[in-house]
Amino acid sequence: MAQSTATKKTKTKATTSKKRATPKKNLVIVESPAKAKTIEKYLGRNYKVVASVGHIRDLKKSSMSIDFDNNYEPQYINIRGKGPLIKDLKKEAKKAKKVYLASDPDREGEAISWHLAHILDLDPKDKNRVVFNEITKDVVKDALKEPREINMDLVDAQQARRVLDRIVGYSISPVLWKKVKRGLSAGRVQSVALKLIIDRENEIKNFEPQEYWTIDGQFQKGTRKFQASFYGLDGKKKKLETNDQVQEVLARLTQDQWAVTKVDKKERRRKAPLPYTTSSLQQDAVNKINFRTRKTMMVAQQLYEGLSLGSSGHQGLITYMRTDSTRISPVAQGEAAAFITDRFGATYSKHSNRVQNKSGAQDAHEAIRPSSVYRTPESVAKYLNKDQLKLYTLIWNRFVASQMTNAVYDTMRVALEQNGVIFTANGSQVKFEGYLAVYNDSDKNKMLPDMVVGDSVKKVKTLPEQHFTQPPARYSEATLVRTLEEIGIGRPSTYAPTLETLQKRYYVRLEAKRFEPTELGEIVNTLIVNFFPDIVDVTFTAEMEQQLDAVEEGKKQWQTVIDGFYKPFEKEVEKAESEIEKIEIKDEPAGFDCDLCGHPMVIKMGRFGKFYACSNFPDCRNTKAITKEIGVICPKCEKGQVIERKTKRNRIFYGCDRYPDCDFTSWDKPVGRTCPKSGDFLVEKKIRGGGKQVVCSSEDCDYKEDKIK
């Protein structure tokens, strides 16, 4: 009896233990902890979502890490510092019911999943890869219903780029270290971008201005005045190149009455813009909301990964932000059509958006758009910080505009004539605003008074003005990205890091938001142009990009592409090492002595630009930053001079030269006067539309002076 009871108790314990056993969960591995947090809330208790925090394997930093004797095989190692994370991932994978690899939906993300599969002993041919172009509940759940195999074409495309960039960087950089100075680097896209900047600088230096003249006139018909400009003489268009030619024209004008000799009225349509790609978003962010390319990508990543929207929980606000496709899914088109019809009316909705992608576009996912058009900027404003809201508004407006009808204008062009002198005037007025209802990127209406041939108009005044042709402008971040994209150099993910590296290496500096090459940049460019011409040849580099794209499409083997590049490149490296003579960057006299030891100070070239250093180095290690006085006494201590300084990221600010005794700083330039209303110091502030304005430095004071051009 006792034995039977004991047996029963044992069975009961075993049964209870079995019931309480924790059921296995599905493991989902993403790249970012922020994304993991968002997705785990969508999937519920049967899933655990963890982050790999980017790559977990890579090439060694200390060596080339490519086996040239074994078909360019990359020699990967686990990234230093990620040992504990890898251990945790292995532990979670071992106890998981199923492992899903959900890194980003691009080449880099596919490679991360492949590396994870290797480390976690997963079969890359298993269907364990899931991708989502947007992080919303429905999209994430649907993706997990249709896992696929790891796409080895995408993985090979990433490996090809990584190996190619490693070969270029780790072959040329040591040459630069030996022949110029330590810490320099060269890269495939980076070197082309540097050459573009320097070529533009040379164009500017060699530019010879040409004189030309314009004659603008103000005319009046009835009570309405309008502007017209000189077009030509005796029925032909004519350029005015000298003042003598201007005087000949003016000599013909003997009266104030002019005849209207031609009137053209047309209807013109302006196409709605395409939705954003990575490149066009970066360009607009620079021009419209003053975001650097790096900042644009950082904020876009936050919007993609998801933010807390109050009772709606975590939501991914935009689709994946690395793309050069302008495609929009039919579901998103339908949602946008319904939204536009409801808010603006059926005549504003395009209903479909058949877009032809440019050649070579990576069409794996859509254009950048809001994950839901109904999530308007106004509705999410209170949950977003200032930068997130600015960028989201830009993306939302552009997407909605892309799904709206074209704007329609009534245009009018008239010709006015007197004694063979012809002036022309143009006017336009929006007839139907279409997409302009949400995305007004057009000029203001400029309507002319109604006129017909034979009418007479009165000249109010004429204004001759001398001009000189201007050199091409230096590249801004926006124009450089646009140029790289147009010539087929680089891809969406490369633009921001390329521009950052150029500045970090001090090959270029950003002055007034324009790239200006440094002396160091010009030295490096000259060496690369002379000894590695293919690296900076636009046609060659663009063709290489196309070959790398062919790897992604499964049309070429990545080792074949690398081999075709490396064989001639290897000879160029050998030639450069033997023929380039050591370049000595000489120190410049600073013009004053060291305040510690009395030896002359010199100007040295450092990794972050020029600086003052004692010529008695290494016995004396005194250094000073090169500063620029602006001629204003410090408004705080009233003893020191205000000088122009720069942050580590090269942003200009103003501070007292008595720092740290005086801690005065200002982002805006002090002008040396006090505000007549508050008594605080006045500053020069940049304003929208260009130009500057003197305003009070106090946020509580509204004092402003006239705009400075």
Side-chain angles (χ1 to χ4, degrees):
M1 184 78 178
Q3 189 177 2
S4 175
T5 306
T7 305
K8 263 187 179 180
K9 283 184 178 178
T10 305
K11 282 182 179 178
T12 305
K13 277 185 179 180
T15 306
T16 306
S17 174
K18 197 172 183 181
K19 281 182 181 176
R20 289 180 181 173
T22 307
K24 286 189 173 184
K25 292 186 176 185
N26 295 305
L27 181 67
V28 180
I29 305 176
V30 298
E31 287 184 42
S32 128
K35 195 195 296 186
K37 182 179 177 184
T38 304
I39 292 170
E40 191 163 68
K41 290 186 177 181
Y42 294 157
L43 296 178
R45 65 178 68 183
N46 293 328
Y47 289 84
K48 181 164 187 178
V49 186
V50 296
S52 69
V53 195
H55 277 278
I56 55 170
R57 288 205 308 165
D58 198 4
L59 303 174
K60 292 178 187 176
K61 286 187 176 178
S62 57
S63 64
M64 183 80 78
S65 295
I66 296 165
D67 190 347
F68 290 93
D69 297 325
N70 188 22
N71 209 16
Y72 305 100
E73 191 65 29
Q75 298 172 325
Y76 295 113
I77 60 166
N78 294 349
I79 293 173
R80 183 178 293 177
K82 288 210 168 182
L85 173 64
I86 291 171
K87 187 178 178 182
D88 289 343
L89 289 173
K90 284 183 174 181
K91 182 181 174 183
E92 293 294 342
K94 195 171 183 180
K95 66 182 183 182
K97 181 180 177 182
K98 170 84 175 174
V99 178
Y100 294 100
L101 306 173
S103 44
D104 287 348
D106 57 10
R107 283 185 295 255
E108 209 73 27
E110 205 72 19
I112 289 172
S113 285
W114 179 67
H115 287 302
L116 282 166
H118 175 86
I119 280 186
L120 302 177
D121 292 323
L122 304 176
D123 186 346
K125 293 186 178 179
D126 282 350
K127 292 187 176 181
N128 55 16
R129 174 77 168 119
V130 293
V131 293
F132 17 81
N133 192 43
E134 59 188 79
I135 302 176
T136 56
K137 191 171 185 178
D138 290 342
V139 169
V140 169
K141 286 191 168 184
D142 288 345
L144 282 162
K145 291 175 186 175
E146 297 182 13
R148 60 165 171 81
E149 293 179 20
I150 290 173
N151 185 330
M152 287 308 299
D153 289 335
L154 287 175
V155 174
D156 288 346
Q158 190 274 342
Q159 288 195 103
R161 287 175 184 276
R162 189 78 182 95
V163 167
L164 181 62
D165 289 339
R166 176 57 68 101
I167 289 172
V168 171
Y170 275 51
S171 297
I172 300 180
S173 298
V175 175
L176 297 177
W177 282 41
K178 289 178 194 173
K179 305 298 184 178
V180 186
K181 68 190 295 293
R182 291 182 65 83
L184 302 183
S185 71
R188 196 168 50 89
V189 178
Q190 168 194 321
S191 297
V192 176
L194 176 61
K195 185 174 185 296
L196 287 172
I197 292 168
I198 290 175
D199 286 349
R200 177 60 56 88
E201 193 68 20
N202 290 334
E203 281 184 65
I204 293 168
K205 287 176 183 175
N206 298 328
F207 181 81
E208 294 183 5
Q210 301 294 319
E211 179 185 13
Y212 73 98
W213 288 73
T214 58
I215 309 175
D216 292 329
Q218 189 177 68
F219 295 82
Q220 184 171 340
K221 180 160 190 296
T223 58
R224 290 189 57 188
K225 292 180 180 177
F226 63 97
Q227 301 290 325
S229 300
F230 174 77
Y231 173 82
L233 292 174
D234 303 321
K236 294 181 181 178
K237 186 175 177 66
K238 181 174 176 61
K239 290 181 180 179
L240 299 175
E241 297 175 344
T242 65
N243 187 33
D244 288 342
Q245 291 176 335
V246 172
Q247 296 308 317
E248 287 176 19
V249 170
L250 295 178
R252 290 202 193 190
L253 307 181
T254 57
Q255 52 185 321
D256 291 339
Q257 294 302 315
W258 289 62
V260 177
T261 57
K262 190 175 182 181
V263 177
D264 283 335
K265 291 183 179 180
K266 293 181 181 178
E267 184 180 90
R268 181 171 65 89
R269 294 177 180 271
R270 184 165 185 167
K271 287 185 178 179
L274 296 175
Y276 280 130
T277 61
T278 303
S279 168
S280 57
L281 175 63
Q282 289 174 347
Q283 292 169 46
D284 259 13
V286 170
N287 294 326
K288 293 179 185 253
I289 55 176
N290 200 26
F291 277 17
R292 303 282 299 277
T293 51
R294 181 177 178 276
K295 181 176 180 178
T296 299
M297 298 311 290
M298 181 184 72
V299 176
Q301 183 88 30
Q302 295 164 4
L303 296 174
Y304 166 68
E305 290 181 349
L307 299 165
S308 179
L309 302 181
S311 59
S312 300
H314 264 71
Q315 299 288 343
L317 291 177
I318 64 169
T319 53
Y320 194 54
M321 63 287 162
R322 291 187 180 91
T323 176
D324 51 9
S325 170
T326 49
R327 181 176 61 82
I328 297 295
S329 74
V331 173
Q333 287 183 30
E335 189 182 71
F339 174 85
I340 293 164
T341 300
D342 183 56
R343 176 169 285 201
F344 301 100
T347 54
Y348 282 81
S349 175
K350 192 188 301 184
H351 297 294
S352 66
N353 185 28
R354 299 183 183 277
V355 172
Q356 181 68 44
N357 278 324
K358 67 185 178 68
S359 175
Q362 308 304 306
D363 200 24
H365 29 78
E366 297 180 60
I368 304 169
R369 62 165 175 83
S371 53
S372 172
V373 72
Y374 288 100
R375 212 169 278 130
T376 63
E378 297 80 18
S379 69
V380 298
K382 61 183 177 182
Y383 305 112
L384 275 56
N385 65 32
K386 184 174 68 174
D387 289 340
Q388 290 165 347
L389 182 59
K390 281 182 179 178
L391 192 65
Y392 182 68
T393 302
L394 200 66
I395 292 167
W396 189 91
N397 285 346
R398 176 75 167 236
F399 168 66
V400 174
S402 76
Q403 302 303 299
M404 296 176 76
T405 47
N406 299 336
V408 182
Y409 290 82
D410 280 332
T411 63
M412 184 176 177
R413 176 181 172 86
V414 300
L416 315 175
E417 192 168 340
Q418 182 189 143
N419 291 336
V421 178
I422 305 166
F423 274 53
T424 57
N426 296 289
S428 64
Q429 184 173 32
V430 176
K431 183 178 181 181
F432 175 70
E433 59 183 352
Y435 78 90
L436 296 176
V438 294
Y439 191 81
N440 197 338
D441 60 349
S442 66
D443 297 330
K444 292 179 181 177
N445 292 343
K446 187 180 72 172
M447 278 305 293
L448 300 174
D450 197 32
M451 286 177 269
V452 295
V453 174
D455 278 353
S456 177
V457 296
K458 182 181 178 183
K459 181 203 77 179
V460 178
K461 64 180 177 183
T462 50
L463 178 65
E465 193 170 357
Q466 184 186 36
H467 307 272
F468 290 92
T469 53
Q470 297 297 309
R474 290 189 175 113
Y475 285 109
S476 65
E477 287 197 350
T479 55
L480 185 57
V481 166
R482 184 171 69 241
T483 302
L484 288 170
E485 183 186 38
E486 286 173 350
I487 60 180
I489 306 296
R491 287 298 179 259
S493 60
T494 63
Y495 298 132
T498 295
L499 303 191
E500 194 174 354
T501 301
L502 286 174
Q503 294 169 82
K504 196 189 293 182
R505 301 295 183 209
Y506 197 61
Y507 294 164
V508 301
R509 53 177 167 256
L510 210 54
E511 296 288 343
K513 298 184 182 178
R514 300 277 173 173
F515 286 117
E516 183 180 331
T518 63
E519 178 187 351
L520 183 60
E522 290 180 345
I523 290 170
V524 169
N525 179 67
T526 300
L527 290 179
I528 294 175
V529 168
N530 289 339
F531 289 91
F532 304 98
D534 284 346
I535 295 297
V536 288
D537 180 77
V538 168
T539 304
F540 177 86
T541 308
E543 286 174 356
M544 181 59 65
E545 292 284 6
Q546 291 168 10
Q547 289 191 58
L548 293 170
D549 289 344
V551 173
E552 181 168 334
E553 295 160 8
K555 296 175 181 177
K556 282 198 172 186
Q557 291 293 319
W558 73 266
Q559 292 94 338
T560 305
V561 173
I562 299 298
D563 192 61
F565 168 82
Y566 181 67
K567 293 286 175 64
F569 177 72
E570 184 182 24
K571 294 175 183 176
E572 289 180 346
V573 174
E574 291 172 0
K575 182 182 177 184
E577 286 180 333
S578 63
E579 293 186 10
I580 297 177
E581 295 182 4
K582 175 74 176 173
I583 296 173
E584 185 179 352
I585 301 176
K586 294 182 179 178
D587 298 333
E588 304 171 41
F592 61 94
D593 294 332
C594 175
D595 53 5
L596 296 183
C597 71
H599 282 76
M601 293 289 278
V602 294
I603 299 173
K604 282 186 172 292
M605 174 77 77
R607 185 175 174 183
F608 300 106
K610 293 184 177 181
F611 63 97
Y612 294 126
C614 181
S615 59
N616 194 28
F617 179 85
D619 295 332
C620 178
R621 295 178 175 270
N622 186 21
T623 61
K624 293 178 182 291
I626 296 178
T627 57
K628 177 181 172 184
E629 291 186 1
I630 64 170
V632 172
I633 301 295
C634 175
K636 186 171 184 178
C637 69
E638 299 183 349
K639 295 178 182 177
Q641 285 283 332
V642 175
I643 57 174
E644 186 180 289
R645 295 181 180 272
K646 286 186 179 179
T647 66
K648 286 182 179 179
R649 290 188 177 171
N650 225 26
R651 184 179 174 187
I652 292 173
F653 71 99
Y654 301 89
C656 182
D657 67 354
R658 294 181 64 246
Y659 178 84
D661 295 330
C662 176
D663 62 357
F664 168 78
T665 59
S666 170
W667 288 116
D668 301 309
K669 184 179 179 180
V671 298
R673 295 185 282 119
T674 55
C675 175
K677 287 181 73 173
S678 69
D680 291 296
F681 65 96
L682 295 174
V683 294
E684 203 176 79
K685 205 172 187 71
K686 292 178 182 176
I687 56 176
R688 281 188 177 182
K692 299 173 183 176
Q693 193 170 35
V694 173
V695 301
C696 182
S697 59
S698 171
E699 292 181 0
D700 300 324
C701 180
D702 61 357
Y703 177 77
K704 293 178 182 177
E705 295 182 1
D706 291 338
K707 178 178 173 181
I708 307 167
K709 290 185 179 178

